[in-house]
């Protein structure tokens, strides 16, 4: 397949009154909308979409990966989260890895079976429905749309077909013959080719019938342990059966009358909040215009500061104390902002180790005013590419984000969760402790270390530049990337940003990659947004309107769409 997409996107935001879903796959969006129409709420629909995406985009997400959820209760205004990330096997210690000859300088391959952490997604799906669901639909009913897609088949979408082919080598590696479950005759399905996955249908059906024990005990658990141990890993049945999700309180910060909510560590939601706090100290941010050289320069420098802090402080909170209050203090962001000069790039900003990712983000708002912001991922494409026999899904390689540096905050250890890139977000109006926060949006942008950068770019597009959700997602983006090989930061500028901006950024000392086009635009993530009302349009108020209008956008860099009713 060529490097250029043979189409461009220009679409209006989706408008509706009762309920809305947005995902990277139209068939998955349709499954979620069906759940809403049959009495399910936002949480039910989000899990239905997660399962449908596991079927239709297995090169990005699935049962073998992790998931995170943020839920807004339309009745009480309460926001709660679920950390559905899995932990490393008990036996995976630094001493063990060093005994195998691995080190910080020479870690295992990112696709090694040693990088499989316990898949947290299936438990997160079950817990989301149990804790936040309508209780009107059974888990079987919630998952039935995904099962039908897997059994009857679906035509593979264009962007998905590209990424399926891109990551297929992980499935073909020696010892991974079970990867045939995710191929057709040994090859990745082509754009428009119908793909069925009977093995995955069985796994999802069993999860619906018996809940978490169907995955973390019995047939599936044994198949997971077998394929990992056959390929040099150390996961046990006890590692799987002892897994549980963690219900968490989200963290947040305020920016110009809106409040952004993210999940706490080990999720990197902290990076988005640190970034927003730093940018608040630059009132001239809007003055130069959207994606001007001044705007991008300040944004890039703020990303470098926020990302560096994250690598210094962010890890599994059950293994360490993360100083959230100090990091999120406005006084701290003011101190950090002083490091930024408008004329020249900063020197000596030390980053951590970065790698790539594939993930799916999606969101739902229902007729009761509930919102579910959800993200699910196998990390890099098919993850390790290991497919448990008869199960139809691949196992993630999230453990590649551990450090093998002794004493590092993210150093590998048994039963530990690694630094995690996937983050859902919610946006509310500012409120006092006694007030119910007003829901403004469910939003997210998948894409590894791009995710917090994507969150803030689309948020600023709406808050600062008055864009609607679709415009905010369509607009060209920036991705600030640390390159391990060169020990330098690289600024990726998407097609649509002026060449003069790239030239000026280079003059200030930035390394710039411009323009990034075609399928390489995947570096900028793929987002979805649903808003309640058009609050970004300051000249319009719906205070006296009897209608609550939902506005939605879906990223043109993916295959998906928003649907409403």
């Amino acid at each position: 397949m060529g490097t250029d997409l043979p189409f461009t996107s220009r679409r209006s935001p989706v408008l509706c009154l009762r309920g809305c879903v947005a995902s990277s796959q139209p068939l998955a969006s349709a499954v979620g909308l069906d759940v809403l129409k049959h009495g399910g709420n936002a949480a039910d629909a989000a899990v239905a979409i997660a399962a449908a995406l596991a079927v239709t985009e297995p090169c990005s997400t699935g049962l073998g990966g992790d998931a995170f959820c943020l839920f807004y209760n339309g009745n009480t205004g309460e926001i709660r989260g679920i950390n559905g990330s899995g932990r490393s096997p008990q036996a995976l210690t630094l001493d063990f890895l060093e005994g195998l000859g691995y080190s910080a300088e020479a870690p295992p391959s990112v696709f090694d079976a040693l990088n499989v952490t316990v898949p947290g997604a299936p438990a997160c799906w079950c817990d989301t429905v149990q804790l936040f669901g309508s209780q009107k639909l059974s888990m079987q009913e919630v998952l039935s749309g995904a099962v039908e897609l897997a059994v009857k088949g679906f035509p593979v979408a264009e962007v998905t077909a590209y990424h399926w082919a891109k990551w297929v080598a992980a499935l073909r590696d020696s010892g991974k013959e079970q990867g045939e479950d995710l191929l057709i005759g040994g090859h990745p399905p082509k754009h428009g080719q119908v793909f069925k996955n009977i093995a995955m249908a069985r796994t999802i059906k069993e999860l619906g019938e018996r809940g978490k024990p169907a995955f973390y005990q019995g047939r599936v658990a044994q198949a997971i342990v077998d394929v990992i141990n056959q390929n040099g890993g150390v996961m046990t049945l006890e590692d799987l059966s002892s897994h549980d999700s963690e219900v968490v309180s989200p963290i947040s910060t305020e920016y110009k009358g809106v409040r952004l909510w993210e999940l706490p560590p080990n999720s990197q939601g902290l990076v988005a909040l640190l970034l927003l706090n730093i940018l608040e100290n630059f009132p001239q941010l809007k003055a130069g215009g959207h994606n001007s050289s001044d705007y991008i320069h300040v944004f890039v420098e703020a990303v470098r500061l926020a990302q560096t802090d994250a690598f210094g402080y962010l890890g599994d909170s059950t293994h360490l104390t993360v100083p959230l209050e100090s990091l999120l203090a406005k006084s701290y962001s003011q101190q950090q902002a002083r490091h930024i000069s408008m004329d020249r790039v900063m020197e000596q900003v030390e980053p951590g180790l970065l790698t790539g990712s594939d993930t799916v983000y999606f969101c739902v708002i229902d007729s009761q005013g509930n919102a579910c912001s959800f993200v699910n991922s196998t990390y890099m494409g098919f993850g390790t590419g290991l497919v448990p026999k008869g199960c139809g899904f691949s196992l993630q390689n999230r453990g590649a984000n551990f450090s093998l540096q002794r004493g590092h905050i993210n150093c590998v250890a048994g039963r530990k969760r690694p630094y995690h890139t996937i983050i859902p977000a919610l946006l509310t109006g500012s409120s006092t402790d006694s007030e119910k926060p007003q829901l403004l949006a469910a939003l997210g942008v998948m894409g590894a270390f791009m995710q917090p950068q994507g969150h803030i770019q689309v948020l600023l597009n709406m808050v600062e530049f008055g864009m609607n959700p679709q415009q905010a997602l369509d607009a060209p983006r920036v991705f600030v990337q640390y390159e391990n090989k060169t020990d330098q930061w690289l600024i990726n500028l998407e097609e649509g940003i002026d060449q003069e901006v790239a030239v000026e950024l280079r003059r200030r000392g930035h390394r710039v990659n411009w323009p990034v086009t075609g399928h390489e635009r995947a570096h900028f993530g793929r987002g979805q947004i649903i808003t309640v009302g058009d609050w970004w349009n300051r000249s319009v108020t719906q205070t006296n309107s009897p209608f609550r209008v939902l506005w939605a956008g879906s990223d043109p860099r993916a295959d998906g769409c928003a649907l409403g009713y």
Side-chain angles (χ1 to χ4, degrees):
M1 191 171 192
T3 57
D4 290 328
L5 291 163
F7 55 84
T8 56
S9 171
R10 208 299 313 169
R11 45 182 158 175
S12 304
V14 169
L15 302 179
C16 53
L17 291 174
R18 295 188 62 189
C20 191
V21 304
S23 85
S24 53
Q25 225 288 344
L27 297 174
S29 294
V31 165
L33 196 65
D34 281 345
V35 167
L36 291 183
K37 289 180 176 180
H38 285 89
N41 71 357
D44 299 325
V47 171
I49 293 170
L53 287 169
V55 175
T56 57
E57 292 191 37
C59 48
S60 297
T61 184
L63 293 140
D66 286 340
F68 288 81
C69 167
L70 268 177
F71 184 78
Y72 174 92
N73 186 309
N75 186 38
T76 66
E78 182 183 18
I79 300 174
R80 298 167 71 193
I82 296 177
N83 179 334
S85 62
R87 297 163 181 83
S88 57
Q90 182 69 51
L92 194 74
T93 64
L94 182 58
D95 287 343
F96 171 77
L97 289 173
E98 287 179 342
L100 294 176
Y102 295 115
S103 65
E105 293 73 32
S109 158
V110 293
F111 302 112
D112 197 291
L114 291 167
N115 284 323
V116 180
T117 48
V118 173
C124 185
W125 296 0
C126 294
D127 293 332
T128 297
V129 171
Q130 180 184 346
L131 293 173
F132 307 139
S134 66
Q135 312 307 318
K136 295 178 182 177
L137 300 179
S138 68
M139 194 66 182
Q140 282 177 270
E141 290 171 310
V142 168
L143 297 179
S144 62
V147 173
E148 183 177 355
L149 281 171
V151 170
K152 294 184 176 179
F154 62 94
V156 176
E158 182 166 9
V159 176
T160 301
Y162 173 83
H163 290 288
W164 209 313
K166 173 184 173 183
W167 292 107
V168 74
L171 298 174
R172 289 175 170 160
D173 279 357
S174 59
K176 299 179 182 178
E177 62 277 358
Q178 296 301 329
E180 287 295 320
D181 285 351
L182 295 167
L183 301 170
I184 298 176
H187 300 282
K190 294 181 170 60
H191 176 206
Q193 191 170 5
V194 175
F195 184 79
K196 298 180 181 181
N197 192 331
I198 303 302
M200 188 188 293
R202 180 186 175 192
T203 304
I204 296 175
K205 189 171 185 290
E206 290 173 353
L207 185 68
E209 292 169 348
R210 298 195 289 115
K212 288 184 275 188
F215 188 91
Y216 295 97
Q217 300 169 31
R219 175 186 78 89
V220 175
Q222 187 64 59
I224 291 172
V225 169
D226 287 348
V227 75
I228 290 173
N229 292 341
Q230 288 162 11
N231 287 275
V234 292
M235 190 170 289
T236 65
L237 289 172
E238 170 62 22
D239 290 324
L240 288 164
S241 63
S242 62
H243 172 77
D244 55 6
S245 306
E246 181 185 5
V247 180
V248 295
S249 297
I251 54 179
S252 66
T253 196
E254 192 168 316
Y255 180 89
K256 296 191 177 181
V258 302
R259 182 167 287 275
L260 180 65
W261 299 83
E262 301 275 357
L263 287 168
N266 57 317
S267 156
Q268 68 168 345
L270 175 64
V271 180
L273 303 183
L274 293 173
L275 176 54
L276 199 57
N277 278 352
I278 294 169
L279 294 174
E280 191 177 32
N281 293 281
F282 293 87
Q284 74 272 35
L285 196 63
K286 185 179 177 181
H290 183 256
N291 280 345
S292 64
S293 52
D294 281 350
Y295 176 90
I296 292 177
H297 172 75
V298 171
F299 180 83
V300 166
E301 298 292 78
V303 167
R304 294 173 66 204
L305 290 168
Q307 192 71 69
T308 300
D309 273 348
F311 278 106
Y313 294 105
L314 199 157
D316 187 345
S317 58
T318 61
H319 284 247
L320 53 97
T321 300
V322 181
L324 289 174
E325 189 174 340
S326 299
L327 288 168
L328 291 174
K330 297 291 187 177
S331 56
Y332 178 70
S333 67
Q334 291 165 6
Q335 170 189 321
Q336 288 290 81
R338 293 190 193 106
H339 293 294
I340 298 177
S341 161
M342 292 304 297
D343 298 324
R344 196 70 193 163
V345 68
M346 288 182 296
E347 304 290 342
Q348 303 299 321
V349 180
E350 294 295 330
L353 300 173
L354 311 185
T355 52
S357 171
D358 272 84
T359 303
V360 291
Y361 171 79
F362 45 96
C363 49
V364 184
I365 296 180
D366 63 29
S367 59
Q368 289 82 47
N370 303 307
C372 197
S373 185
F374 208 103
V375 63
N376 208 127
S377 175
T378 44
Y379 193 33
M380 301 174 71
F382 291 102
T384 56
L386 294 171
V387 179
K389 186 174 183 179
C391 296
F393 63 86
S394 60
L395 294 166
Q396 65 183 354
N397 60 335
R398 188 60 64 173
N401 269 346
F402 279 123
S403 169
L404 270 64
Q405 180 182 333
R406 194 171 292 275
H408 191 282
I409 197 167
N410 198 39
C411 182
V412 67
R415 296 276 300 156
K416 185 176 182 179
R417 297 176 299 193
Y419 180 114
H420 222 294
T421 58
I422 65 177
I423 52 173
L426 289 170
L427 194 68
T428 66
S430 58
S431 62
T432 64
D433 291 339
S434 61
E435 292 178 324
K436 169 184 169 181
Q438 178 191 3
L439 178 67
L440 297 180
L443 64 98
V445 178
M446 58 65 70
F449 295 90
M450 173 65 195
Q451 291 184 55
Q453 301 179 39
H455 282 202
I456 301 310
Q457 287 180 74
V458 299
L459 174 60
L460 293 178
N461 287 349
M462 291 189 287
V463 173
E464 295 285 10
F465 298 100
M467 297 185 193
N468 68 46
Q470 190 60 57
Q471 291 170 330
L473 290 167
D474 286 347
R477 295 203 277 262
V478 179
F479 174 40
V480 187
Q481 180 182 16
Y482 181 73
E483 292 188 317
N484 292 306
K485 291 180 181 178
T486 60
D487 193 31
Q488 291 180 300
W489 295 88
L490 178 67
I491 315 309
N492 297 282
L493 302 180
E494 191 172 15
E495 181 181 27
I497 294 176
D498 291 342
Q499 183 176 9
E500 292 77 10
V501 170
V503 171
E504 174 58 21
L505 290 171
R506 289 190 183 110
R507 187 195 66 78
R508 298 186 196 189
H510 295 285
R511 293 177 64 244
V512 177
N513 176 25
W514 176 93
V516 180
T517 63
H519 281 292
E520 292 303 308
R521 295 166 67 207
H523 290 301
F524 302 103
R526 302 189 286 277
Q528 316 293 331
I529 304 172
I530 305 173
T531 70
V532 181
D534 55 349
W535 46 263
W536 59 88
N537 187 346
R538 300 301 183 184
S539 63
V540 176
T541 176
Q542 292 188 311
T543 305
N544 298 318
S545 172
F547 300 109
R548 180 199 66 149
V549 178
L550 302 177
W551 295 60
S554 186
D555 206 306
R557 300 163 190 82
D559 296 310
C561 67
L563 296 174
Y565 79 113

